Coordinates of all heavy atoms in Angstrom, one line a residue:
Chain A
T694 N 44.6 26.6 -3.5 CA 43.8 27.5 -2.7 C 43.9 27.1 -1.2 O 43.8 28.0 -0.4 CB 42.3 27.3 -3.1 OG1 41.9 26.0 -3.2 CG2 42.1 28.1 -4.4
L695 N 44.1 25.8 -1.0 CA 44.3 25.4 0.4 C 45.5 26.2 1.1 O 45.3 26.6 2.2 CB 44.7 23.9 0.4 CG 44.7 23.1 1.7 CD1 43.2 23.1 2.2 CD2 45.2 21.7 1.4
L696 N 46.6 26.4 0.3 CA 47.7 27.0 0.9 C 47.4 28.5 1.2 O 47.9 29.0 2.2 CB 48.9 26.9 0.0 CG 49.4 25.5 -0.3 CD1 50.8 25.5 -0.9 CD2 49.4 24.7 0.9
G697 N 46.6 29.1 0.4 CA 46.2 30.5 0.7 C 45.4 30.6 2.0 O 45.6 31.5 2.8
N698 N 44.5 29.6 2.2 CA 43.7 29.6 3.4 C 44.6 29.4 4.6 O 44.5 30.1 5.6 CB 42.7 28.4 3.2 CG 41.6 28.4 4.2 OD1 40.8 27.4 4.3 ND2 41.5 29.4 5.0
W699 N 45.5 28.4 4.5 CA 46.4 28.2 5.6 C 47.3 29.4 5.9 O 47.6 29.7 7.1 CB 47.3 27.0 5.3 CG 46.6 25.7 5.2 CD1 45.3 25.4 5.4 CD2 47.2 24.4 4.9 NE1 45.0 24.1 5.2 CE2 46.2 23.4 4.9 CE3 48.5 24.0 4.7 CZ2 46.4 22.1 4.7 CZ3 48.8 22.6 4.4 CH2 47.7 21.7 4.4
R700 N 47.7 30.1 4.9 CA 48.6 31.2 5.1 C 47.9 32.3 5.8 O 48.4 33.0 6.7 CB 49.2 31.7 3.8 CG 50.3 30.8 3.3 CD 50.8 31.2 1.9 NE 52.0 30.3 1.7 CZ 52.5 30.0 0.5 NH1 51.9 30.4 -0.6 NH2 53.5 29.2 0.4
L701 N 46.7 32.6 5.4 CA 45.9 33.6 6.1 C 45.7 33.3 7.5 O 45.8 34.1 8.4 CB 44.5 33.8 5.3 CG 43.6 34.9 5.9 CD1 44.4 36.3 5.9 CD2 42.4 35.0 5.1
A702 N 45.4 32.0 7.8 CA 45.2 31.5 9.2 C 46.5 31.7 10.0 O 46.5 32.2 11.1 CB 44.8 30.1 9.2
R703 N 47.6 31.3 9.4 CA 48.9 31.4 10.0 C 49.3 32.8 10.3 O 50.0 33.1 11.3 CB 49.9 30.6 9.2 CG 51.2 30.4 9.9 CD 52.3 29.9 9.0 NE 53.6 29.9 9.6 CZ 54.2 30.9 10.1 NH1 53.7 32.1 10.0 NH2 55.4 30.8 10.7
F704 N 48.9 33.7 9.3 CA 49.3 35.1 9.5 C 48.5 35.7 10.7 O 49.1 36.4 11.5 CB 48.9 35.9 8.2 CG 49.3 37.3 8.3 CD1 50.6 37.6 7.9 CD2 48.5 38.3 8.7 CE1 51.1 39.0 7.9 CE2 48.9 39.6 8.7 CZ 50.2 40.0 8.4
A705 N 47.3 35.3 10.8 CA 46.4 35.8 11.9 C 46.9 35.3 13.3 O 46.9 36.0 14.3 CB 45.0 35.4 11.7
V706 N 47.3 34.0 13.3 CA 47.8 33.4 14.6 C 49.2 32.7 14.3 O 49.2 31.6 13.9 CB 46.8 32.4 15.1 CG1 47.3 31.7 16.4 CG2 45.4 33.0 15.3
P707 N 50.3 33.5 14.5 CA 51.6 33.0 14.1 C 51.9 31.6 14.8 O 52.7 30.9 14.2 CB 52.5 34.1 14.6 CG 51.7 35.3 14.6 CD 50.3 34.9 15.0
S708 N 51.4 31.4 16.0 CA 51.8 30.1 16.6 C 51.2 28.9 16.0 O 51.4 27.8 16.4 CB 51.4 30.1 18.1 OG 50.1 30.6 18.3
L709 N 50.4 29.1 14.9 CA 50.0 27.9 14.1 C 51.1 27.3 13.4 O 51.0 26.2 12.7 CB 49.0 28.4 13.0 CG 47.5 28.1 13.3 CD1 46.7 28.6 12.1 CD2 47.2 26.7 13.5
A710 N 52.3 27.8 13.4 CA 53.5 27.2 12.8 C 53.7 25.8 13.3 O 53.5 25.5 14.5 CB 54.7 28.0 13.1
H711 N 54.2 24.9 12.5 CA 54.5 23.6 12.9 C 53.4 22.8 13.6 O 53.7 22.1 14.6 CB 55.9 23.5 13.7 CG 57.0 24.1 12.8 ND1 57.3 23.5 11.6 CD2 57.9 25.1 13.0 CE1 58.3 24.2 11.1 NE2 58.6 25.1 11.9
V712 N 52.2 23.0 13.1 CA 51.1 22.2 13.5 C 50.9 21.2 12.3 O 51.0 21.7 11.2 CB 49.9 23.0 13.8 CG1 48.7 22.2 14.1 CG2 50.1 23.9 15.0
R713 N 50.5 20.0 12.6 CA 50.3 19.1 11.5 C 48.8 19.1 11.1 O 48.0 18.8 11.9 CB 50.8 17.7 11.8 CG 52.3 17.6 12.0 CD 52.8 16.2 11.9 NE 52.2 15.3 12.7 CZ 52.3 14.0 12.7 NH1 53.0 13.4 11.7 NH2 51.6 13.2 13.5
V714 N 48.6 19.3 9.8 CA 47.2 19.2 9.3 C 47.0 17.7 9.0 O 47.8 17.0 8.4 CB 47.1 20.0 8.0 CG1 45.7 19.8 7.4 CG2 47.4 21.5 8.2
I715 N 45.8 17.2 9.5 CA 45.6 15.8 9.4 C 44.4 15.5 8.4 O 44.3 14.4 7.9 CB 45.3 15.0 10.7 CG1 44.1 15.7 11.5 CG2 46.6 15.0 11.5 CD1 43.7 14.8 12.7
R716 N 43.6 16.5 8.1 CA 42.5 16.3 7.1 C 42.0 17.5 6.5 O 41.8 18.5 7.2 CB 41.4 15.4 7.8 CG 40.4 14.8 6.8 CD 39.5 13.8 7.5 NE 38.9 14.3 8.7 CZ 39.4 14.0 9.9 NH1 40.4 13.2 10.1 NH2 38.8 14.6 11.0
C717 N 41.7 17.5 5.2 CA 41.0 18.6 4.5 C 39.9 18.0 3.8 O 40.0 16.9 3.3 CB 42.0 19.3 3.5 SG 43.6 19.6 4.2
W718 N 38.8 18.8 3.7 CA 37.6 18.3 3.0 C 36.9 19.5 2.4 O 37.2 20.6 2.6 CB 36.7 17.5 3.9 CG 36.1 18.2 5.0 CD1 34.9 18.8 5.0 CD2 36.7 18.5 6.3 NE1 34.7 19.4 6.3 CE2 35.7 19.2 7.0 CE3 37.9 18.1 6.9 CZ2 36.0 19.6 8.4 CZ3 38.2 18.6 8.2 CH2 37.2 19.3 8.9
T719 N 35.8 19.2 1.6 CA 35.1 20.2 1.0 C 33.6 20.0 1.3 O 33.2 18.9 1.6 CB 35.2 20.2 -0.6 OG1 34.9 18.9 -1.0 CG2 36.6 20.6 -1.0
G720 N 32.8 21.1 1.2 CA 31.4 21.0 1.3 C 30.8 21.9 0.2 O 31.4 22.9 -0.2
F721 N 29.6 21.6 -0.3 CA 28.9 22.4 -1.3 C 28.0 23.4 -0.7 O 27.2 23.1 0.2 CB 28.1 21.5 -2.2 CG 28.9 20.5 -3.0 CD1 28.7 19.2 -2.9 CD2 29.9 21.0 -3.9 CE1 29.5 18.3 -3.7 CE2 30.6 20.1 -4.7 CZ 30.4 18.8 -4.6
E722 N 28.1 24.6 -1.1 CA 27.2 25.7 -0.6 C 26.5 26.3 -1.8 O 27.1 26.7 -2.8 CB 28.1 26.8 0.0 CG 27.2 28.0 0.5 CD 28.1 29.2 1.1 OE1 29.3 29.1 0.9 OE2 27.5 30.1 1.7
A723 N 25.1 26.2 -1.8 CA 24.3 26.6 -2.9 C 24.1 28.1 -2.7 O 23.9 28.6 -1.6 CB 23.0 25.9 -2.9
W724 N 24.0 28.9 -3.8 CA 23.7 30.3 -3.7 C 23.1 30.8 -5.0 O 23.2 30.1 -6.1 CB 25.0 31.1 -3.4 CG 26.1 31.0 -4.4 CD1 26.9 29.9 -4.6 CD2 26.5 32.0 -5.4 NE1 27.8 30.2 -5.6 CE2 27.6 31.4 -6.1 CE3 26.0 33.3 -5.7 CZ2 28.2 32.1 -7.1 CZ3 26.7 34.0 -6.7 CH2 27.8 33.4 -7.4
V725 N 22.4 31.9 -4.9 CA 21.9 32.6 -6.1 C 22.5 34.0 -6.2 O 23.1 34.4 -5.2 CB 20.3 32.6 -6.1 CG1 19.7 31.3 -6.4 CG2 19.8 33.2 -4.8
D726 N 22.3 34.6 -7.3 CA 23.0 35.9 -7.6 C 22.9 36.9 -6.5 O 23.8 37.7 -6.3 CB 22.5 36.4 -8.9 CG 23.2 35.8 -10.1 OD1 24.3 35.1 -9.8 OD2 22.8 35.9 -11.2
D727 N 21.7 37.1 -5.9 CA 21.5 38.1 -4.9 C 22.0 37.7 -3.5 O 21.8 38.4 -2.5 CB 20.1 38.7 -4.9 CG 19.1 37.6 -4.5 OD1 19.5 36.5 -4.1 OD2 17.9 37.9 -4.6
H728 N 22.5 36.4 -3.4 CA 23.0 35.9 -2.1 C 21.9 35.9 -1.0 O 22.2 36.0 0.2 CB 24.2 36.7 -1.6 CG 25.4 36.6 -2.5 ND1 26.1 35.5 -2.7 CD2 25.8 37.5 -3.4 CE1 27.1 35.7 -3.6 NE2 26.9 36.9 -4.1
L729 N 20.6 35.9 -1.4 CA 19.6 35.8 -0.4 C 18.9 34.4 -0.5 O 19.0 33.8 -1.5 CB 18.6 36.9 -0.7 CG 19.0 38.3 -0.2 CD1 18.1 39.4 -0.7 CD2 19.2 38.4 1.3
P730 N 18.2 34.0 0.5 CA 17.6 32.7 0.5 C 16.6 32.5 -0.6 O 15.9 33.5 -1.0 CB 17.0 32.6 1.9 CG 17.7 33.6 2.7 CD 18.0 34.7 1.8
L731 N 16.4 31.3 -1.0 CA 15.2 30.8 -1.7 C 14.4 30.2 -0.6 O 14.7 29.1 -0.1 CB 15.5 29.8 -2.8 CG 16.4 30.2 -3.9 CD1 16.6 29.1 -4.9 CD2 15.9 31.5 -4.6
A732 N 13.3 30.8 -0.2 CA 12.5 30.3 0.9 C 11.0 30.7 0.7 O 10.6 31.8 1.0 CB 13.0 30.9 2.3
G733 N 10.3 29.8 0.1 CA 8.9 30.1 -0.3 C 8.4 29.1 -1.3 O 9.0 28.0 -1.5
P734 N 7.3 29.4 -1.9 CA 6.7 28.4 -2.9 C 7.6 28.3 -4.1 O 8.2 29.2 -4.5 CB 5.3 29.1 -3.3 CG 5.1 30.2 -2.3 CD 6.4 30.6 -1.7

Side-chain angles (χ1 to χ4, degrees):
Chain A
T694 48
L695 192 64
L696 298 196
N698 193 186
W699 292 0
R700 284 178 170 152
L701 183 55
R703 193 193 171 292
F704 186 84
V706 179
S708 47
L709 256 184
H711 298 307
V712 173
R713 295 199 306 168
V714 175
I715 57 172
R716 197 168 45 260
C717 313
W718 64 95
T719 55
F721 294 120
E722 180 185 11
W724 61 287
V725 286
D726 277 344
D727 63 6
H728 300 285
L729 286 171
L731 301 182

